[in-house]
Structure formats: C-alpha cells, structure tokens
Amino acid sequence: MYEQKTKQTDNSVIEFIGNVENPKKREDAYRLLDIFTETTGFSAKMWGPSIIGFGNYHYKYASGHEGDAALVGFSPRKAKISLYFATGNPERTALLQDLGKHTAAKACVYINKVADINVDVLAALIKQSIQFLKETYPNP
C-alpha cells in the first residue's frame, strides 16, 4: 500500500526557520511566515522535514490514490524559496504574470527573495489556491 511521504509533523516551525543557514533567506522565511499566516488564518505546521504548510485538505483521485496535504505552503531551500499552490486552476497563471521575478513548475513557484515579488499578488495566489482546493476537494 502507498505510504504518503510528506506528512504533517509536530516539529517546530520557528526552530526550522531559525536553522536556515543564509541570514537573508531566514529573514525572508519569517516574512513569508507572517504573510501566509495572516492571509490564510491558519497556524503554520511542518510537513515533512522542510515544508511549512498552512491548513490541510484530503484529496482522492479517480485512480483511488488519496492522502492529505497542506492547502498552501513554502520552503526556504538552499537554492531558491519554493512556494506551494494548487495546480489546475487557470486563475493561477494570470496571477503569476503579475507576481514578479519567479519560475514555475507544476505545483511549485520558485523565488530568490521576497523583495523580487509583489506581496499583494502573493496574498491573492494564496487565497485563490485555498478557494480552488476547497471547491475541488470539499470535506465530506
């Protein structure tokens, strides 16, 4: 049976951020913590060893695969900061055009630093992602 790798843990978010080696990235992580907390209304939780997630939802695909995930989140990685949003929503593409300097993959948006992006657009992406996931995977 499939075992989900990235699960919510009881590890300390503040301790994790405090251990980020690069001081500028650590400062950005604290700033993102404030933005995500204020925008979502959820407390930050660690998901796996390195993702800071907010809220959660249960998904179930047509294939039968199911699990739990954070609604949104971020991770201050060594190279870039990863931002996690829902995939599959066309509104995301439009918002990303106004975000600022970033690169995007399927579920991740990568930024170098918070100063490179428009935090108002970031907040809109967070809200849009949560709304999309709650509509796509309503609680039973």
Side-chain angles (χ1 to χ4, degrees):
M1 181 166 177
Y2 173 78
E3 175 77 22
Q4 188 173 332
K5 291 179 187 170
T6 306
K7 298 179 186 175
Q8 186 174 311
T9 72
D10 291 328
N11 296 344
S12 168
V13 170
I14 298 300
E15 189 175 307
F16 171 73
I17 293 174
N19 288 325
V20 171
E21 287 183 32
N22 181 312
K24 295 228 182 271
K25 197 157 284 185
R26 187 178 330 116
E27 186 179 313
D28 274 351
Y30 283 122
R31 180 125 187 257
L32 288 169
L33 179 63
D34 288 343
I35 293 167
F36 274 77
T37 301
E38 184 177 309
T39 304
T40 66
F42 294 113
S43 298
K45 302 286 184 187
M46 290 302 302
W47 285 77
S50 61
I51 296 173
I52 300 167
F54 300 82
N56 62 61
Y57 69 101
H58 185 80
Y59 60 86
K60 186 170 184 176
Y61 300 138
S63 66
H65 175 85
E66 63 182 296
D68 297 296
L71 289 166
V72 291
F74 71 92
S75 183
R77 308 235 183 239
K78 263 193 187 324
K80 293 184 182 274
I81 297 169
S82 300
L83 307 173
Y84 300 98
F85 304 112
T87 60
N89 189 338
E91 290 177 37
R92 174 184 147 153
T93 304
L95 285 169
L96 285 175
Q97 291 176 351
D98 296 326
L99 180 62
K101 187 178 175 183
H102 74 281
T103 55
K106 186 173 182 179
C108 297
V109 174
Y110 304 99
I111 62 171
N112 290 318
K113 57 186 182 272
V114 175
D116 287 343
I117 62 169
N118 181 326
V119 295
D120 292 333
V121 174
L122 173 60
L125 275 163
I126 293 167
K127 290 175 185 173
Q128 174 271 320
S129 185
I130 291 171
Q131 179 181 345
F132 177 75
L133 287 170
K134 285 186 172 185
E135 290 171 358
T136 305
Y137 302 101
N139 288 334

